[in-house]
Amino acid sequence: MIQKPTFTSTWKALLYLLPALVILLTFNIYPIIKSFIMSFYTDYDFFKDIVYEYGLDNFTYIFQDAEFWKSVVNTLVFVIGVVPLSIVISLGIAILLNTKIRFKGIFRSIYFLPFVTSVIAISMVWRWLYHTDYGLINYSLGLFGIEKIAWLTDPQWAMPAIIIMCIWKGLGYNIIIFLAGLQNIDQQLYLAAQIDGAKPWKRFMNITLPMLSPTMFFISIVSVINSFKVFDEVFALFDGKPGPAYSAQTIVYYIFEKFYNEWEFGIASAAAIILFVIIFLITLIQLRLGRSRIIY
Amino acid sequence: MQRAAFSKGFIYLVLIIGSVCMLLPFAWMFITSIKSPGEVMMMPPVWIPEDFKWENYKEAWSMAPFARYTINSIIVTVLSTLGELVTTILAAYAFSRMHFYGRDILFSILLGTMMVPGEVLLIPNYVTLSNLGWIDQYQALIIPWLASIFSIFLLRQFFLGIPQELSYAAKIDGCNNFRFLWTIMVPLAKPALITIVLLKAIGSWNSFLWPLIVTQSKEMRTLPVGLTSFSTEAGINYELLMAASTMIILPMIILYFCLQRYIIEGVAKAGIKG
Amino acid sequence: MKKFVFSVLTVLLVFALAACGNDGDKDSESKVSASSDSSSEKIKTDISSPVEIDFWHAMSGNHEIALQKITDDFNSSQEDITVKLVNQGSYDDLNTKNMAAAKAGNLPALTQAYEDWMTNYIDHDLITDLTPYVTSDEVGLSKEEVDDIVQIFREANTWDGKYYGMPFNKSTQIMYYNVDYFEEAGLNAPTTWDELRDAAEKLTTEKDGRKIVGLGLENSTSSQINQWVLQAGGNYLDEDSGKFLMNSPEGKEALEFLNGMFKDGSARLAGEDGYMSEPFARGDAAIYFGSSAGIPYVAAPAKENGVNWAAAPLPKGKQAATAFAGTNVAIFSSATDDEKLAAWEFIKFLINADNTTYWAMETGYLPVRYSALEKKEWVTFTTDHPEYGVGEKQFDAGFYDPRLAGAYELKNAVAKVIDKVFLGELTEDEGLKSAEEAANKSLKK
Amino acid sequence: MKIQLKELSMKFDDVLAVNGLNVHINKGELVSLLGPSGCGKSTTLFMLAGLYKPSSGEMYFGDTLVNNVEPENRGIGMVFQNYALYPHMTVLKNIMFPLKMAKVPHKKAEEKAIEMANLVQIGHLLDRKPKQLSGGQQQRVAIARALVKQPQLLLLDEPLSNLDARLRIEMREEIRRIQQEVGITTIFVTHDQEEAMSISDKVLLMKDGQFQQYSKPQEMYDHPVNMFVGKFMGNPPINMIPVTFDHKNLSIQINGTDEKLKVTSKLNYELVSGNQMLLGVRAEDFVLEKLEGISNSFSAKVDLVERTGRDTLVHATVGNHAIRALVNQDFVVKPSNIVKLSIRKNRLQLFDAETELNLVLGKE
């Protein structure tokens, strides 16, 4: 059904769009453009809103700033730590939940529970769980004879601490999406494979995984993008600091720091643009890989 | 037969261990919240406090203006959710059912902006709001969140799935666009709308960075922001901290258990289509 | 998916175009000089109509209650001025909000401010020169009154001979120690580094399954490293030449001293406890270096836990040095004349001898006037509570943080490096070297 | 209400979906718009409904030009291919919806809706939701909803295509019954020629947006104006045998054979472009004989005999052309028999090979 836009229809549609557009233009589009422009401010009086100089200095600064590279590395470690593990665990649980068992609904609800809770509140709880001397985690490890770990105060353990908490929090979301994907697989395929003599493992490798590839693809893209933007968890878990000796500083934290603590708008904006470009490139690569891997 | 029973047992075992891991933080939060200060720091940990110190809740509640925080959180959550619902319905209708110049380009631009990390928007937005004189007022907490590209996208997809003929039929039946939207499309899109409302409500209730930045006085803080400042005040009185955390998390858990079917279905749908 | 990519490219293009269209138009404007000759300014000396002013602060808990009391007293003492307290969270939050509000043009009349913030505010013409108020015949302070303000605090509020603020909540580092533990071990409160080290080592034990550390330090120790450097006889930063001086044998000595104790476990940072006051009050640390403003935070829980404690001046290294911290009050220049005057009236009230004494007794901050120290209430009070008197004993050893513009960034940058040394990620030498690099980098900006 | 379309055209981007349609529909008639998919029949219907605006041409309802009249003001009812029932409303609410929109008082609207539901025989299903109904029942609800406003014109867009074979026949009779009971002018879109033949007063046949023929169904069957119409109507399809025309003797010779037939029908010589033609004969119009010597006949070799109970369908070859003939079931014939075929009187069509037009002059 093809209908052509007309002047009248455009005018009418604008009325419908107006409320949303006013908000989105003011609070989404304009700030993006503004931030982009700001990344080229090299000499700027924030209070008087005067820009004395434009240039690429901010980008030069960032590329030479070891702190920035550290935060890039940290973010990458975080992404690599969270995404694959989370996908593997949630896929495993989703597959178990997709079998003929009882209390399926209850299990599903339990796994999803962390997703609805406040990052801030639950991070406080994790801070308590991670406590070196009185935390439940070290106590449990102690039962297995493992020495106390200074999760929140040892720079080497800060990233693992945050990764564990984020996996815990995000697991339910992935499980739900995997379950939806699993339920979309035609059961006849399994019957056919069974008749062809495929054992469970073979059925998993040859039916489940390939048929699940679009879901997997979706989850990996979403998780990677979200993981690149991690901030709240870091902020709350380390009580407003990015870990001991900045050991868990992520890119967004770097941006935040430059913005709010140092008032370096140009540098912060430039870092934000770089983050955007990184996410964009990685998504492109994923799309490329996805195209050749996805079976249907 | 035996093998099947064995593997079933194994499945239950794994799922139960997993569930325990998922629930333990909540349980520990609650247990700690009713302990006495002495029990909190005891090793090995105390699983059942000697007596349940419910007064921890009272103390935490009175140490900071949590009543005010709660009211603020409710106001902000309710108003921004309702507002977003209206803007989303109207915009999704325009994008899914109306033909106008620049529709596809506009939609693509909006979708493209979803890739930009939200933190980038904070400072320019702060400046905009302060120019409007809205800092430390409800407007600042609500108005920027009255529209969401993600929600519009989600609802548009749902609207596209409703047969075009329905709108033709309604047109012939004498129903104009606006009325059609509210009497036919909206009731039909109920599942999608519930999803949008729930995700929004959860997000709004839990949001942190924005209220932190645009509120100045204690009277305007929402619960998560209040909690962080409380955490500095409470120091390492973990029983009070956990009591406060419980109070913030509990409403969402209740909401979740009442409406979990919609939330889970909604996430599944939004995920698959998105 | 092609569509998706296309859309993103479209967005990028839009930005690029927007960027091109917008630059250049402001280049021609020249920088506006920040300095202005304010001493000759005429000020308003009477209030024509009732004024309400906001005071943005970062006080919480007991401190906030005490401040509220003084403010209430002020509000009921006269009719024209109402001061409204607005808690802005932490100090960092307060600074952030001041900056943002300056931009937005909705600054309050009054704020708490550290010296290095004030340097920055002065650069941007944000705060008012208070000299005309101080020297005013009608509303000013007499010579005696000016001299009554503790000298080091006065100096800290003076830039080029002009007052930009008045000291308000000033604190100093003091040493808290657990009397029971010291008695048990037969030790006296340490007065030198060597004694400190010795005591810390001896008092680090395990008791009933609980670990007790000899010396407990705040997490902010790295940003207060200048105190240790000064004690070691070195210098941190030269305010006049803007040179970072910590990369020196004295700096190394300070780092090695601290780090040595961290390494052998006789000292620790508060870590996940946030502040060391609680663990100390719980008996988990034998000695604790903390702010005098933390006295109420130690006293209350210590009483609850039955911990006996006392306070003493910080042990000396080559010399005695203790950081004076805490903020001043300043008036924003965006306020109207009436508001400025109202704010000035409030400042005078806030730091008069009675109130500064009351404030000090309630909070552990120091009285900011010499006359307060001699007040009978104060003398009695400090006799009953000797810990409150420790701070004033250190006035001579006091120093305040460098006030260069960008000092805040510098301190942060250096602290980050020092933290790495404490955490064993860098050796002392590496730490000093990269601290110098970080400092020079932020000085150059 | 009579309907008149004058030079009606619709263009989507570069595609001419309907091209210069001129039609006159009398009051109370049921007209089928027939044609293969993509021929423009639905587009025409949507223009009549006012859902599409024609690119050019005029539409008259009665004497009123309705080109710019909004759908709701045209006095039409419409039934969609997928019924387009409002899924969240009960049957009653669905039927009442148009009345509600017209601000008919609730009580009266309900009465009318129930009356209409009874007419389409779903009075017992009023409280159900559409999902709980069978296809046929949904169909009836859709019709009731379309008729409840008492429109002047009823538009049906392939209403039977989603039903199974038996239900389709039942509903088609039902639609005819209701239409005649209400006496409403009705336009019915379908791609099924049999459906169109059985239900309509008149059939409008279209192809690629072009008008082909507009006449009574039997007339269209008996006298297609061109090869397309001939082929589209009837099952089994009409036999088309290439022939060469002998103008002098008024006879035709089947190409590739010596078989000649005399042509007795009157031909429209103005349409002739050469002597290559196609002989069109419907399967039932062949007369089959075993015997030699029957005049004006030709021989063919039997390939296959299909018996379907009522009829016998004989597949045969003449020259190298396959033909099909329906014969009386008493007639016994076996594959590889040679049979004689003649054509019933006045039942042959001759199409010009180049213009594809029917050369036989019709009655009109």
Side-chain angles (χ1 to χ4, degrees):
Chain A
M1 299 283 162
I2 316 142
Q3 254 174 314
K4 273 193 180 166
T6 61
F7 186 73
T8 330
S9 71
T10 305
W11 191 79
K12 261 191 198 165
L14 265 182
L15 274 184
Y16 280 78
L17 287 172
L18 197 65
L21 272 192
V22 168
I23 303 284
L24 293 176
L25 285 179
T26 319
F27 296 108
N28 280 58
I29 312 272
Y30 164 77
I32 292 174
I33 296 169
K34 182 82 183 168
S35 288
F36 186 77
I37 297 170
M38 276 176 144
S39 70
F40 296 103
Y41 289 4
T42 49
D43 191 352
Y44 173 54
D45 186 322
F46 169 65
F47 298 103
K48 302 196 185 76
D49 205 10
I50 299 170
V51 186
Y52 300 110
E53 215 182 299
Y54 292 87
L56 292 168
D57 289 5
N58 295 324
F59 292 95
T60 328
Y61 174 88
I62 286 172
F63 287 125
Q64 289 170 352
D65 187 5
E67 291 268 325
F68 178 75
W69 290 112
K70 179 85 192 297
S71 62
V72 171
V73 170
N74 278 339
T75 309
L76 286 175
V77 168
F78 178 79
V79 171
I80 292 165
V82 168
V83 177
L85 255 179
S86 178
I87 286 181
V88 169
I89 298 174
S90 53
L91 177 61
I93 292 173
I95 285 170
L96 294 186
L97 279 177
N98 202 34
T99 52
K100 287 193 186 97
I101 53 157
R102 291 209 273 170
F103 313 118
K104 217 183 270 194
I106 297 177
F107 280 125
R108 204 177 53 168
S109 304
I110 290 173
Y111 284 103
F112 194 69
L113 194 56
F115 184 77
V116 303
T117 53
S118 150
V119 175
I120 299 302
I122 208 66
S123 299
M124 304 259 170
V125 176
W126 276 88
R127 220 151 89 195
W128 176 221
L129 288 169
Y130 276 135
H131 197 285
T132 315
D133 295 320
Y134 306 107
L136 204 54
I137 292 177
N138 274 352
Y139 170 75
S140 313
L141 293 178
L143 296 180
F144 297 99
I146 299 170
E147 288 227 2
K148 280 178 182 170
I149 294 169
W151 293 98
L152 301 181
T153 47
D154 182 341
Q156 292 189 322
W157 286 99
M159 281 315 286
I162 204 121
I163 287 171
I164 291 171
M165 184 180 93
C166 287
I167 290 178
W168 176 83
K169 193 159 192 318
L171 213 50
Y173 178 83
N174 290 352
I175 291 174
I176 297 303
I177 293 186
F178 271 131
L179 267 179
L182 283 170
Q183 273 151 17
N184 279 346
I185 299 178
D186 190 346
Q187 288 305 306
Q188 292 188 354
L189 288 175
Y190 288 105
L191 293 179
Q194 215 164 353
I195 290 165
D196 293 343
K199 292 273 178 294
W201 176 246
K202 289 269 174 203
R203 293 205 291 271
F204 173 77
M205 293 303 287
N206 292 303
I207 299 173
T208 311
L209 273 190
M211 295 302 284
L212 219 49
S213 51
T215 313
M216 193 93 79
F217 181 59
F218 168 78
I219 290 187
S220 63
I221 285 197
V222 169
S223 317
V224 166
I225 291 180
N226 282 337
S227 302
F228 262 102
K229 301 200 274 191
V230 63
F231 173 81
D232 279 13
E233 290 84 350
V234 181
F235 186 92
L237 191 61
F238 298 105
D239 202 12
K241 282 176 234 61
Y246 283 64
S247 52
Q249 172 157 303
T250 61
I251 302 178
V252 174
Y253 212 108
Y254 180 87
I255 296 169
F256 173 82
E257 178 102 343
K258 293 285 167 200
F259 246 141
Y260 292 101
N261 293 343
E262 298 180 21
W263 295 77
E264 292 285 359
F265 299 103
I267 292 171
S269 304
I273 301 297
I274 291 172
L275 172 64
F276 174 69
V277 170
I278 292 177
I279 292 180
F280 184 67
L281 288 180
I282 289 193
T283 309
L284 273 190
I285 293 169
Q286 278 182 296
L287 290 176
R288 261 284 156 78
L289 289 178
R291 203 171 297 155
S292 57
R293 288 287 163 73
I294 288 192
I295 314 301
Y296 71 100
Chain B
M1 217 39 216
Q2 245 176 346
R3 234 193 100 180
F6 169 76
S7 67
K8 208 153 232 192
F10 177 74
I11 289 173
Y12 280 116
L13 187 72
V14 172
L15 286 177
I16 287 169
I17 290 174
S19 302
V20 168
C21 292
M22 293 323 261
L23 287 178
L24 204 62
F26 294 104
W28 193 237
M29 167 181 78
F30 176 71
I31 292 170
T32 308
S33 76
I34 52 170
K35 282 184 179 178
S36 65
E39 284 170 324
V40 170
M41 299 284 176
M42 228 174 257
M43 273 289 143
V46 178
W47 288 100
I48 299 164
E50 208 149 290
D51 43 42
F52 296 171
K53 301 221 16 164
W54 297 108
E55 53 270 34
N56 286 342
Y57 283 85
K58 227 172 106 189
E59 197 181 338
W61 184 263
S62 61
M63 264 179 82
F66 275 109
R68 181 69 201 221
Y69 298 161
T70 310
I71 291 170
N72 288 343
S73 275
I74 290 173
I75 290 175
V76 169
T77 302
V78 168
L79 290 185
S80 57
T81 305
L82 287 182
E84 184 190 287
L85 204 55
V86 173
T87 59
T88 301
I89 288 171
L90 291 174
Y93 184 71
F95 278 124
S96 65
R97 277 292 191 273
M98 303 180 94
H99 302 267
F100 57 91
Y101 292 113
R103 181 179 71 174
D104 295 342
I105 287 185
L106 182 60
F107 194 65
S108 307
I109 290 177
L110 291 184
L111 278 190
T113 62
M114 288 210 306
M115 286 195 68
V116 180
E119 284 70 19
V120 178
L121 316 179
L122 285 168
I123 270 285
N125 277 345
Y126 182 89
V127 174
T128 308
L129 287 182
S130 45
N131 288 340
L132 291 167
W134 287 354
I135 293 299
D136 207 25
Q137 298 191 18
Y138 285 121
Q139 287 98 302
L141 289 167
I142 296 167
I143 290 179
W145 304 100
L146 286 184
S148 142
I149 295 166
F150 177 72
S151 298
I152 292 173
F153 176 71
L154 198 70
L155 191 60
R156 170 185 173 266
Q157 295 303 97
F158 198 90
F159 277 175
L160 285 178
I162 296 176
Q164 182 75 51
E165 280 82 0
L166 274 189
S167 68
Y168 290 152
K171 205 159 192 202
I172 288 168
D173 290 344
C175 185
N176 65 27
N177 268 343
F178 194 69
R179 193 140 182 209
F180 170 70
L181 171 59
W182 294 101
T183 54
I184 313 284
M185 294 287 257
V186 168
L188 285 181
K190 212 166 90 188
L193 291 174
I194 291 178
T195 304
I196 289 170
V197 164
L198 288 175
L199 292 181
K200 172 73 176 188
I202 293 171
S204 182
W205 185 264
N206 295 339
S207 80
F208 170 65
L209 196 52
W210 182 251
L212 173 76
I213 288 174
V214 299
T215 57
Q216 293 175 340
S217 52
K218 254 186 181 167
E219 289 75 43
M220 294 307 298
R221 280 184 194 150
T222 57
L223 279 171
V225 182
L227 179 65
T228 49
S229 64
F230 174 73
S231 89
T232 330
E233 281 163 38
I236 48 166
N237 290 318
Y238 281 102
E239 71 282 2
L240 299 180
L241 255 181
M242 292 302 110
S245 294
T246 309
M247 289 189 286
I248 291 175
I249 288 178
L250 206 59
M252 280 300 126
I253 291 187
I254 291 171
L255 183 75
Y256 168 62
F257 275 111
C258 294
L259 298 167
Q260 53 162 311
R261 193 170 62 89
Y262 292 106
I263 298 182
I264 288 179
E265 268 175 24
V267 167
K269 267 191 209 132
I272 290 302
K273 281 192 178 153
Chain C
M1 274 315 173
K2 248 187 197 153
K3 208 167 176 187
F4 175 71
V5 173
F6 168 75
S7 65
V8 173
L9 290 175
T10 316
V11 175
L12 283 175
L13 186 66
V14 170
F15 292 165
L17 290 175
C20 295
N22 216 334
D23 63 8
D25 52 349
K26 284 169 180 166
D27 285 14
S28 54
E29 288 183 52
S30 61
K31 287 200 184 192
V32 180
S33 165
S35 72
S36 61
D37 192 16
S38 54
S39 51
S40 61
E41 265 175 41
K42 282 259 172 359
I43 56 153
K44 226 178 153 177
T45 54
D46 64 320
I47 287 173
S48 35
S49 58
V51 192
E52 190 184 294
I53 53 168
D54 280 359
F55 177 20
W56 285 6
H57 66 92
M59 300 286 89
S60 59
N62 280 338
H63 300 169
E64 189 172 16
I65 294 167
L67 179 59
Q68 187 68 56
K69 159 87 170 55
I70 298 174
T71 308
D72 290 343
D73 287 351
F74 176 74
N75 286 340
S76 52
S77 72
Q78 42 73 48
E79 277 169 8
D80 288 335
I81 306 167
T82 316
V83 176
K84 203 180 132 215
L85 295 183
V86 183
N87 181 318
Q88 296 292 20
S90 69
Y91 284 121
D92 279 350
D93 289 345
L94 175 61
N95 189 25
T96 306
K97 279 170 179 164
N98 276 340
M99 299 280 274
K103 165 71 179 171
N106 53 9
L107 281 168
L110 257 177
T111 183
Q112 278 185 300
Y114 280 112
E115 291 84 15
D116 53 343
W117 304 0
M118 289 166 74
T119 312
N120 191 14
Y121 296 169
I122 294 167
D123 271 355
H124 289 102
D125 240 354
L126 293 179
I127 51 175
T128 305
D129 175 9
L130 296 181
T131 320
Y133 291 92
V134 177
T135 54
S136 159
D137 293 336
E138 290 92 346
V139 298
L141 299 170
S142 64
K143 175 93 178 42
E144 294 78 51
E145 278 179 302
V146 174
D147 289 342
D148 190 31
I149 296 169
V150 174
Q151 189 188 350
I152 182 165
F153 301 153
R154 235 184 306 141
E155 282 169 9
N157 278 293
T158 314
W159 278 260
D160 293 336
K162 292 176 200 159
Y163 293 106
Y164 278 93
M166 283 290 143
F168 165 46
N169 59 326
K170 287 301 185 179
S171 63
T172 178
Q173 292 277 307
I174 59 174
M175 177 176 73
Y176 298 82
Y177 61 96
N178 188 310
V179 175
D180 298 335
Y181 293 166
F182 268 79
E183 272 174 11
E184 242 167 78
L187 290 169
N188 287 322
T191 55
T192 64
W193 275 17
D194 292 337
E195 287 173 28
L196 174 66
R197 178 167 211 157
D198 183 53
E201 259 167 39
K202 283 189 177 141
L203 292 169
T204 302
T205 49
E206 203 157 304
K207 217 179 204 175
D208 313 328
R210 264 196 2 218
K211 269 198 295 192
I212 296 166
V213 73
L215 174 62
L217 295 169
E218 296 291 14
N219 288 333
S220 56
T221 303
S222 58
S223 48
Q224 286 162 352
I225 193 71
N226 48 356
Q227 174 174 292
W228 296 88
V229 177
L230 286 172
Q231 285 177 0
N235 209 344
Y236 180 75
L237 181 76
D238 183 57
E239 197 171 310
D240 298 325
S241 64
K243 262 210 176 111
F244 182 76
L245 301 170
M246 186 183 158
N247 190 4
S248 61
E250 292 84 7
K252 192 176 172 191
E253 199 190 332
L255 268 188
E256 277 174 348
F257 178 69
L258 278 171
N259 224 15
M261 289 200 290
F262 288 136
K263 271 190 197 145
D264 65 26
S266 56
R268 77 162 170 97
L269 295 173
E272 54 216 304
D273 291 324
Y275 293 95
M276 202 62 208
S277 50
E278 288 268 354
F280 172 76
R282 209 163 54 211
D284 284 0
I287 311 170
Y288 157 48
F289 281 14
S291 161
S292 60
I295 292 176
Y297 292 99
V298 173
K303 200 172 162 197
E304 213 169 282
N305 298 327
V307 168
N308 290 313
W309 62 281
L314 295 183
K316 280 193 270 208
K318 282 220 177 62
Q319 61 184 42
T322 179
F324 279 103
T327 65
N328 313 299
V329 278
I331 300 177
F332 282 113
S333 36
S334 58
T336 64
D337 288 347
D338 272 4
E339 286 168 349
K340 282 180 189 167
L341 180 59
W344 170 246
E345 290 294 343
F346 178 68
I347 292 177
K348 282 196 294 180
F349 186 83
L350 184 65
I351 60 168
N352 70 25
D354 287 340
N355 284 324
T356 195
T357 312
Y358 171 78
W359 174 247
M361 294 191 311
E362 288 297 311
T363 61
Y365 283 108
L366 300 167
V368 296
R369 283 167 178 268
Y370 294 118
S371 60
L373 300 175
E374 278 138 36
K375 273 177 103 77
K376 218 181 104 202
E377 315 155 62
W378 178 253
V379 175
T380 333
F381 180 73
T382 47
T383 322
D384 293 349
H385 305 276
E387 62 273 16
Y388 284 87
V390 174
E392 66 190 80
K393 289 181 200 155
Q394 302 187 84
F395 276 156
D396 296 339
F399 68 94
Y400 51 84
D401 273 345
R403 305 184 303 179
L404 292 173
Y408 178 78
E409 282 77 23
L410 182 145
K411 252 174 71 180
N412 268 357
V414 173
K416 267 187 220 174
V417 178
I418 303 299
D419 267 330
K420 282 183 188 156
V421 177
F422 289 168
L423 289 162
E425 299 216 308
L426 295 175
T427 66
E428 288 88 355
D429 287 324
E430 287 166 354
L432 287 169
K433 207 169 145 254
S434 46
E436 187 171 28
E437 281 163 13
N440 288 336
K441 197 168 156 197
S442 42
L443 283 171
K444 242 188 262 165
K445 268 202 300 209
Chain D
M1 187 169 62
K2 66 174 191 200
I3 311 287
Q4 210 169 347
L5 308 182
K6 285 184 182 168
E7 286 299 324
L8 192 68
S9 296
M10 181 71 191
K11 210 175 163 189
F12 292 123
D13 291 328
D14 295 332
V15 185
L16 203 53
V18 175
N19 189 3
L21 201 59
N22 285 297
V23 179
H24 182 96
I25 297 169
N26 290 320
K27 187 170 191 284
E29 270 183 348
L30 193 159
V31 172
S32 291
L33 286 181
L34 179 65
S37 48
C39 72
K41 54 191 193 299
S42 285
T43 308
T44 309
L45 194 77
F46 275 55
M47 284 195 282
L48 283 165
L51 297 169
Y52 290 168
K53 295 262 175 289
S55 321
S56 66
E58 290 165 345
M59 290 183 288
Y60 288 95
F61 284 13
D63 296 322
T64 329
L65 180 68
V66 294
N67 278 31
N68 290 316
V69 178
E70 287 300 310
E72 60 268 32
N73 301 326
R74 288 190 180 191
I76 53 172
M78 187 159 174
V79 174
F80 291 88
Q81 187 168 4
N82 61 4
Y83 321 133
L85 298 177
Y86 308 123
H88 58 301
M89 298 184 188
T90 61
V91 167
L92 183 64
K93 287 267 164 58
N94 259 289
I95 302 175
M96 280 170 65
F97 189 75
L99 298 175
K100 200 174 141 197
M101 290 299 121
K103 303 209 166 64
V104 175
H106 190 266
K107 199 78 190 260
K108 202 172 159 209
E110 199 171 295
E111 275 168 26
K112 274 183 134 179
I114 293 173
E115 188 188 318
M116 197 47 69
N118 288 331
L119 176 75
V120 300
Q121 298 169 351
I122 46 160
H124 56 296
L125 300 170
L126 292 177
D127 292 332
R128 303 250 185 110
K129 291 261 177 81
K131 248 190 212 159
Q132 300 165 298
L133 303 179
S134 70
Q137 288 167 333
Q138 291 187 22
Q139 177 81 77
R140 286 165 194 267
V141 178
I143 294 170
R145 188 182 64 184
L147 289 177
V148 74
K149 268 199 314 191
Q150 294 176 318
Q152 300 286 306
L153 174 65
L154 178 62
L155 303 172
L156 302 155
D157 185 13
E158 306 222 17
L160 304 176
S161 60
N162 285 346
L163 302 176
D164 64 52
R166 277 187 60 179
L167 206 53
R168 198 178 296 186
I169 293 168
E170 186 191 321
M171 279 313 296
R172 135 180 134 194
E173 288 160 2
E174 195 61 18
I175 287 172
R176 188 61 168 160
R177 173 185 73 81
I178 295 165
Q179 189 260 337
Q180 282 174 348
E181 209 163 305
V182 181
I184 183 175
T185 313
T186 301
I187 297 174
F188 184 104
V189 165
T190 181
H191 61 264
D192 181 338
Q193 53 91 20
E194 194 188 328
E195 210 168 274
M197 295 271 298
S198 64
I199 200 173
S200 329
D201 294 315
K202 275 188 172 171
V203 175
L204 170 63
L205 186 61
M206 297 175 70
K207 180 199 172 196
D208 298 337
Q210 302 276 355
F211 166 89
Q212 300 292 321
Q213 187 166 359
Y214 178 49
S215 56
K216 292 193 172 140
Q218 196 60 46
E219 162 79 17
M220 189 171 286
Y221 186 78
D222 290 345
H223 193 82
V225 295
N226 60 27
M227 263 171 67
F228 172 76
V229 179
K231 278 185 188 162
F232 195 80
M233 305 298 288
N235 188 24
I238 192 166
N239 294 297
M240 288 285 181
I241 307 162
V243 294
T244 308
F245 188 66
D246 181 349
H247 291 264
K248 215 156 81 191
N249 299 322
L250 288 180
S251 68
I252 49 175
Q253 183 177 1
I254 297 172
N255 289 359
T257 68
D258 295 332
E259 305 283 0
K260 281 185 182 169
L261 292 170
K262 202 93 182 135
V263 176
T264 52
S265 309
K266 282 192 178 166
L267 299 186
N268 185 345
Y269 287 103
E270 284 171 28
L271 299 176
V272 176
S273 64
N275 62 359
Q276 286 303 310
M277 294 179 185
L278 284 139
L279 171 66
V281 185
R282 300 209 176 268
E284 67 270 23
D285 289 336
F286 280 120
V287 180
L288 213 78
E289 305 286 351
K290 267 188 184 166
L291 303 171
E292 296 275 334
I294 292 176
S295 63
N296 220 15
S297 65
F298 58 90
S299 346
K301 189 175 147 225
V302 175
D303 296 324
L304 183 68
V305 180
E306 268 178 57
R307 288 179 193 280
T308 58
R310 192 180 56 185
D311 300 305
T312 301
L313 186 63
V314 175
H315 294 254
T317 316
V318 54
N320 48 7
H321 312 294
I323 56 169
R324 276 176 285 196
L326 274 173
V327 296
N328 192 312
Q329 57 174 331
D330 298 339
F331 189 83
V332 182
V333 67
K334 282 186 188 130
S336 79
N337 287 3
I338 302 289
V339 291
K340 276 286 186 190
L341 290 164
S342 62
I343 300 164
R344 276 181 223 205
K345 199 163 179 247
N346 290 332
R347 299 297 291 176
L348 74 89
Q349 318 290 345
L350 264 185
F351 300 97
D352 189 280
E354 201 173 310
T355 63
E356 300 195 348
L357 293 173
N358 195 346
L359 303 173
V360 177
L361 279 171
K363 274 170 244 158
E364 285 149 324

